[in-house]
Amino acid sequence: MKKTAFVTGGSRGIGRAIVRELASEGYAVGVNYLKAERQAETLAAEIRERGGAALAVRADVSDREAITAAIRETEAAFGPVDLLVNNAGIAQNDLFQDTPEELWRRMFAVHADGDFHTIRAVLPHMLHEKAGCIVNISSIWGLRGAACEVAYAASKAAVIGLTRSLAMELAPSHIRVNCVAPGVIATDMVSGLGEETLASLMDQTPAGRLGRPEDVAKAVAFLAREDADFITGQVLTVDGGFIL
Ligand code: NDP
């Protein structure tokens, strides 16, 4: 029987690569999106055409009722979620003193509250089964900090704290919780930074290139593997050596 995965922010960028990777590994995938309906539906259709199973489900991860309903819709189609990937995210670029309070709250609503809502929705079944896997996407900025992205970095650091603490709490129930912290990955999120900034970020990356969404997707798939059974509470950086 196919296992079920639910990927938040699966419509574009890193999330889309994660959806493709998990589908290729045989998961039936709930593809959550917020605005990019066409991309999410196209992705789900592409997977179904290849013989896989996927369902595009719209919800704002910060809205508990909406994201819980999206998870339930996925479960009604494919069965309870075995693997949850909290990938949905938004970026910022402003000085701390210019950061509107609403933006500060939105960062935490999407990154921290979003993870809280999705995990709470899938956990009862995982606890009942004494099995399950959760992978949260943080960022190297959540580990190291970043100027002009204080709210982003702080909310991504919260994701790391959540990951480690919850991993300790859930390990006796055989539920693993890990985190992937990407470096600079070529997606829409960074495309607005401009060529000069991207070239400078590439220069600072020992591997000499920007990351690809697939680099992160492979790391998520690795952490989800059954033979990664003894790995929990970890933050796996996928950054070409950026923060070494
Ligand atoms: P993109 O901007 O390319 O994609 C973001 C995705 O998140 C989209 O699918 C978007 O959906 C979804 N999303 C945003 N807000 C919400 C919400 N409230 N509810 C549901 N879905 C939402 O970003 P990336 O692919 O680059 O980033 C993916 C993750 O990786 C994020 O958590 C990001 O912080 C993290 N990351 C990215 C890095 C990078 O360099 N790219 C570096 C480090 C971390 P839709 O389009 O449908 O609205």
Side-chain angles (χ1 to χ4, degrees):
M1 209 174 72
K2 274 188 196 298
K3 284 190 164 190
T4 303
F6 188 83
V7 181
T8 69
S11 48
R12 295 185 289 115
I14 293 170
R16 177 167 55 194
I18 294 170
V19 168
R20 284 190 175 130
E21 183 70 25
L22 296 178
S24 77
E25 296 212 346
Y27 282 90
V29 192
V31 183
N32 161 247
Y33 68 96
L34 178 57
K35 295 178 191 148
E37 180 174 12
R38 190 177 48 78
Q39 285 102 317
E41 292 290 358
T42 303
L43 177 61
E46 168 201 305
I47 289 165
R48 288 193 295 267
E49 275 160 28
R50 289 186 188 162
L55 181 69
V57 281
R58 186 190 175 280
D60 184 333
V61 292
S62 71
D63 178 337
R64 183 178 56 79
E65 278 185 25
I67 193 65
T68 302
I71 289 172
R72 298 290 171 254
E73 199 182 331
T74 301
E75 291 179 331
F78 304 134
V81 171
D82 305 288
L83 168 62
L84 169 66
V85 184
N86 282 312
N87 164 78
I90 49 173
Q92 75 159 135
N93 184 11
D94 42 23
L95 291 169
F96 181 70
Q97 67 263 34
D98 297 333
T99 301
E101 187 176 332
E102 309 83 68
L103 181 60
W104 174 269
R105 294 199 187 288
R106 184 69 184 153
M107 285 287 157
F108 279 81
V110 173
H111 299 140
D113 298 1
D115 292 7
F116 176 82
H117 298 321
T118 55
I119 295 169
R120 288 285 285 258
V122 302
L123 205 48
H125 175 77
M126 289 184 177
L127 285 168
H128 181 263
E129 294 297 309
K130 290 206 177 320
C133 185
I134 298 166
V135 181
N136 299 318
I137 307 299
S138 178
S139 164
I140 53 168
W141 310 131
L143 275 167
R144 200 189 76 168
C148 297
E149 297 186 68
V150 174
Y152 178 82
S155 63
K156 288 295 190 179
V159 171
I160 292 171
L162 180 157
T163 300
R164 289 182 172 144
S165 308
L166 192 59
M168 293 171 87
E169 203 172 300
L170 295 179
S173 302
H174 309 289
I175 300 165
R176 297 184 301 112
V177 191
N178 285 294
C179 195
V180 174
V184 186
I185 311 295
T187 68
D188 296 344
M189 185 172 275
V190 300
S191 60
L193 291 176
E195 269 177 39
E196 210 174 305
T197 306
L198 285 174
S200 153
L201 288 166
M202 194 150 51
D203 274 355
Q204 293 171 63
T205 305
R209 67 167 174 89
L210 298 182
R212 295 183 272 265
E214 293 73 21
D215 296 322
V216 181
K218 297 273 182 208
V220 171
F222 163 71
L223 289 170
R225 281 168 55 154
E226 273 173 29
D227 54 5
D229 192 42
F230 207 49
I231 301 176
T232 195
Q234 298 307 300
V235 182
L236 178 55
T237 54
V238 180
D239 68 348
F242 195 101
I243 60 163
L244 286 176

